[in-house]
Amino acid sequence: MKRVGLLGCGAIGSEIAFAIDSGKISAKLTHIYDFSKDNSKKLVDKLQNKPVVTENVGLLAASPVDLIIEAASQDAVRDDILSILQNRKDVMIMSVGALLDESIFDIVMDGCRDFNKRVYLPSGAIIGLDGIRAVQDELDLVTLVTTKNPRALKGAKFFETSTIDPDKITTSVVIYEGNAQEAVKLFPANINVAALLSLAGIGSEKTRVKIIADPCASKNTHEIYAEGKFGKFSIKVENVPSPSNPKTSRLATLAAIECLKKICGTPLNIGT
Amino acid sequence: MKRVGLLGCGAIGSEIAFAIDSGKISAKLTHIYDFSKDNSKKLVDKLQNKPVVTENVGLLAASPVDLIIEAASQDAVRDDILSILQNRKDVMIMSVGALLDESIFDIVMDGCRDFNKRVYLPSGAIIGLDGIRAVQDELDLVTLVTTKNPRALKGAKFFETSTIDPDKITTSVVIYEGNAQEAVKLFPANINVAALLSLAGIGSEKTRVKIIADPCASKNTHEIYAEGKFGKFSIKVENVPSPSNPKTSRLATLAAIECLKKICGTPLNIGT
């Protein structure tokens, strides 16, 4: 049975911890760390099988686990991933957006190669990455269309320089069109989805992104269109927000748990 | 580097062999078998790195490889999979439809458990199985809608008892609605797609299937609708036929190659 460490005990990290604790995943959560001691303490209190709370990230990286789950932040990926790989642990990364920074991406890839370790990225709040990866070499076009309630878009950097006021949007309107590279700077909340799609497909420069603000939208919707020699894909995901953290989709948590199940060894591996 | 054996040297098997031979996949194709000696000879002739052609399936199963790719037939899955697992090889199965037979499914799962081996099913001619698996426990409804030109449906068992004549269909029409279990008996050509979706989701009894015959269709189209507590998915895949075998989709071959790449160890694993 794989031994797992958890970096980050917030909403998603805790959900994953509960899934392991419930026996759903053939793994043992043995070590955890969160920069807030309060967070890790709260989590430990709720778990049946108590993991060790390490004093710092370095000690988590050096702990006797096979895999560390990053569920902390992009900064954590930036600062800690190399040390985790150096300590010969595989990593499952939740803050995938960090990998859009090419220097971080290179560090991760070099780390994997040098220490013969693997990095896993669950599909997050989108689906169909099995298909996008399969046709990667034949893709001519990939477009992501995200539709959210203006409330859910509020606070995005985009509005600092735009004449659009999210509070005054009364009908569904396209507020942004550009590439993924630019989009994630203006709409950081969309970064994980854009990063996953870019990495699986044709990169963040070529991946097109359209953002729609719809005051009637109650769910976060992502649509993906892909075309190439293979044919065409269109995907639409309407996501219910996570009950424990309305900023993330329930799907993102479920995808992480499923990904972990696969890493920890289901005999039947369904899907590319 | 993983050592791979190939069972079945037809169109898909050969495409996979070429992909390994070209160096695209970090694997070595060392042993192959096809019940037609002609097929295996033709394939060997076209490969740069010549594999051994075994005399029978038993010798392929016993050959010093890590993984065997089944690209033969449902009969091959039925007859040979247990012996392959007993010989301590992982298996990638292309003829996934065989697993809709519960007794075969149980044999495969028991074999995996008893011999601590893994079975891999690439996503075939559909996409989004990453998502379907992730929400498996929350699915209320899964529907597959397949649209094909009546030409591509001809010969299906369905027409033996139906009043519909595929040659006389002049406009797009729903010719079948039922569950996946029944659908695959009447439309065996749809079996892999229905099997993958059923296994990843809510099983073949609950998975709904609709078949549309459209005389204007030039591609094979599969649509998947899924609903549950997590939200909603809709997926549409328009598949160009494989150049080497018009009965299969190009996507199915690409999915198998991508799946093999993942099994053989890409450091970065994108998607659930």
Side-chain angles (χ1 to χ4, degrees):
Chain A
M1 196 180 272
K2 273 208 199 306
R3 293 168 62 95
V4 172
L6 175 65
L7 171 56
C9 305
I12 288 199
S14 296
E15 292 282 351
I16 297 171
F18 298 147
I20 299 174
D21 203 41
S22 74
K24 259 190 206 165
I25 300 164
S26 164
K28 219 180 146 186
L29 182 66
T30 58
H31 294 73
I32 68 173
Y33 174 75
D34 193 294
F35 73 91
S36 144
K37 284 202 172 166
D38 203 38
N39 269 4
S40 33
K41 195 187 166 304
K42 267 190 205 148
L43 175 57
V44 169
D45 286 348
K46 288 184 200 148
L47 296 172
Q48 204 101 36
N49 306 290
K50 311 287 184 199
V52 173
V53 179
T54 66
E55 273 301 304
N56 54 49
V57 186
L59 288 172
L60 180 71
S63 64
V65 298
D66 305 298
L67 171 87
I68 289 181
I69 301 162
E70 175 283 314
S73 64
Q74 286 190 47
D75 285 343
V77 176
R78 217 182 318 268
D79 298 341
D80 307 320
I81 195 109
L82 186 60
S83 138
I84 295 173
L85 293 167
Q86 275 172 336
N87 274 280
R88 304 286 198 282
K89 321 295 185 210
D90 291 326
V91 196
M92 186 169 96
I93 295 181
M94 297 301 298
S95 312
V96 182
L99 300 181
L100 280 187
D101 178 333
E102 255 177 63
S103 60
I104 306 294
F105 182 81
D106 290 345
I107 286 174
V108 169
M109 294 307 285
D110 289 351
C112 285
R113 199 197 49 222
D114 293 350
F115 307 107
N116 197 24
K117 288 289 119 190
R118 285 189 176 201
V119 165
Y120 300 89
L121 315 180
S123 295
I126 51 174
I127 65 170
L129 294 179
D130 52 352
I132 298 285
R133 268 189 298 110
V135 301
Q136 187 178 41
D137 294 341
E138 298 194 351
L139 281 167
D140 295 328
L141 180 115
V142 181
T143 304
L144 170 69
V145 181
T146 296
T147 305
K148 289 187 176 177
N149 192 294
R151 274 197 317 272
L153 292 164
K154 251 168 114 170
K157 213 180 160 192
F158 169 81
F159 295 108
E160 289 174 17
T161 53
S162 162
T163 55
I164 300 169
D165 178 347
D167 287 323
K168 291 192 177 140
I169 295 172
T170 54
T171 178
S172 173
V173 57
V174 177
I175 58 168
Y176 174 79
E177 275 193 274
N179 69 12
Q181 205 168 60
E182 188 193 53
V184 297
K185 287 177 193 148
L186 298 173
F187 298 93
N190 228 29
I191 194 165
N192 284 340
V193 164
L196 283 163
L197 189 59
S198 300
L199 291 170
I202 51 176
S204 63
E205 216 174 303
K206 287 189 194 154
T207 303
R208 310 295 304 163
V209 174
K210 196 192 267 195
I211 311 266
I212 298 173
D214 179 356
C216 299
S218 61
K219 291 177 190 153
N220 294 338
T221 302
H222 300 292
E223 290 162 83
I224 299 168
Y225 301 97
E227 255 185 77
K229 203 171 139 192
F230 63 94
K232 267 187 206 175
F233 298 158
S234 20
I235 298 164
K236 187 174 179 182
V237 181
E238 294 170 67
N239 279 328
V240 169
S242 168
S244 55
N245 177 5
K247 277 189 189 164
T248 58
S249 300
R250 181 165 179 76
L251 177 60
T253 309
L254 295 174
I257 292 170
E258 176 62 24
C259 186
L260 192 57
K261 258 192 206 163
K262 210 170 175 181
I263 299 168
C264 293
T266 48
L268 187 65
N269 291 262
I270 306 172
T272 299
Chain B
M1 198 182 269
K2 272 208 198 306
R3 293 168 65 95
V4 172
L6 176 65
L7 171 57
C9 306
I12 287 200
S14 296
E15 291 281 352
I16 297 171
F18 299 146
I20 299 175
D21 204 41
S22 73
K24 257 189 208 167
I25 299 165
S26 163
K28 220 180 146 185
L29 182 67
T30 58
H31 293 74
I32 67 173
Y33 173 75
D34 192 295
F35 73 91
S36 146
K37 282 201 174 169
D38 204 39
N39 267 5
S40 32
K41 196 189 165 303
K42 266 190 208 149
L43 175 58
V44 170
D45 286 348
K46 288 185 200 148
L47 295 173
Q48 204 100 34
N49 306 290
K50 310 288 185 201
V52 173
V53 179
T54 66
E55 273 302 304
N56 54 48
V57 186
L59 288 172
L60 179 70
S63 64
V65 298
D66 306 298
L67 172 87
I68 289 182
I69 301 162
E70 175 281 316
S73 65
Q74 286 189 46
D75 284 345
V77 175
R78 218 181 318 268
D79 298 342
D80 307 320
I81 195 111
L82 187 59
S83 137
I84 295 173
L85 292 168
Q86 275 173 336
N87 275 281
R88 307 285 199 282
K89 323 292 186 211
D90 291 325
V91 196
M92 185 169 95
I93 296 181
M94 298 302 297
S95 312
V96 182
L99 301 181
L100 280 188
D101 179 334
E102 255 178 63
S103 59
I104 307 294
F105 182 80
D106 289 345
I107 288 174
V108 169
M109 294 307 285
D110 289 352
C112 284
R113 202 199 46 223
D114 293 350
F115 307 107
N116 198 22
K117 289 288 119 191
R118 284 191 177 200
V119 165
Y120 299 90
L121 314 180
S123 297
I126 51 173
I127 65 170
L129 295 178
D130 52 351
I132 299 286
R133 269 190 296 110
V135 301
Q136 188 178 40
D137 294 340
E138 299 195 351
L139 281 167
D140 295 327
L141 180 116
V142 181
T143 305
L144 170 69
V145 182
T146 296
T147 305
K148 290 187 177 179
N149 193 294
R151 274 198 317 272
L153 292 164
K154 251 169 114 170
K157 213 179 160 192
F158 170 81
F159 295 108
E160 290 173 18
T161 53
S162 164
T163 55
I164 299 170
D165 179 347
D167 287 323
K168 291 190 178 142
I169 293 172
T170 53
T171 177
S172 174
V173 57
V174 177
I175 60 168
Y176 174 79
E177 275 192 274
N179 70 12
Q181 205 167 61
E182 188 193 53
V184 296
K185 287 177 192 148
L186 298 173
F187 300 92
N190 229 29
I191 195 166
N192 284 341
V193 164
L196 282 163
L197 189 58
S198 299
L199 291 170
I202 50 176
S204 63
E205 215 174 301
K206 288 192 194 152
T207 302
R208 310 297 303 164
V209 174
K210 196 191 268 194
I211 310 266
I212 298 173
D214 179 358
C216 299
S218 60
K219 293 177 189 152
N220 294 338
T221 302
H222 299 293
E223 290 160 85
I224 298 167
Y225 301 97
E227 253 183 78
K229 203 171 138 193
F230 63 94
K232 269 188 204 173
F233 297 158
S234 20
I235 298 165
K236 186 174 180 184
V237 182
E238 296 170 64
N239 277 329
V240 169
S242 168
S244 55
N245 177 6
K247 275 187 191 164
T248 57
S249 300
R250 179 165 181 75
L251 176 59
T253 310
L254 294 175
I257 292 170
E258 175 62 23
C259 188
L260 193 55
K261 255 191 209 167
K262 210 171 174 178
I263 300 169
C264 293
T266 48
L268 187 65
N269 291 262
I270 305 171
T272 298

